[in-house]
Amino acid sequence: MSERASAPGGLALVESLVNTLDLESGADALETPEGRARLDLTDGEDLTDVRDLRESLRATLLAHAGHPPHGPVTPLGELLAAAPLVVAVSTEDGSATLRPAADPAPLLSRVAAAVAEALTAGTWQRLKACEAPDCHWAYYDRSPAGRGRWCSMQVCGARAKMRRYRAK
């Protein structure tokens, strides 16, 4: 739905995962082989677990925007605690990163590594979910003050402003 540029670094994976479900139409990209391929899901990954992760992420992104969860979900911290990660240290420059312990990396581990990377980069709080109840699309807030509210000013923002105007 959003015309915004994709989130930076590993947050693009988180954004893509949350945006696999179009709340307005009900279309779930996880139902299609192409949608699963975009996330590099392995055959062994349970789609129920992937959907739980997606909705926990959505609730967290809503919290980043100052909104309550859209429904009951497993807390994201509980899900990410089960992600096997290792610290990889570069022999060239000594830099360290968290990366999934297994190869191929399960989605949960890749998301946990992306969240850790975003925390250290200071970008995690900028990934938000649109406040429109029929949207909740993930977007990266690049506004100077970090107070963006909608994934698209032309669609969700315009609808909200029109609703407010008509209610007066």
Side-chain angles (χ1 to χ4, degrees), residues 6 18 41 43 46-47 62 80-81 83 86 93 104 109 133 144 164 167-168:
S6 186
V18 172
L41 292 177
D43 292 334
D46 182 2
L47 289 184
L62 281 166
L80 296 182
V86 297
D93 63 2
S109 294
R164 213 171 29 246
K168 288 182 180 181

Side-chain angles (χ1 to χ4, degrees), residues 84-86 98-106 109-111 113:
L85 298 174
V86 297
L98 280 177
R99 63 174 182 77
D103 192 32
S109 294
R110 291 185 286 138
V111 166

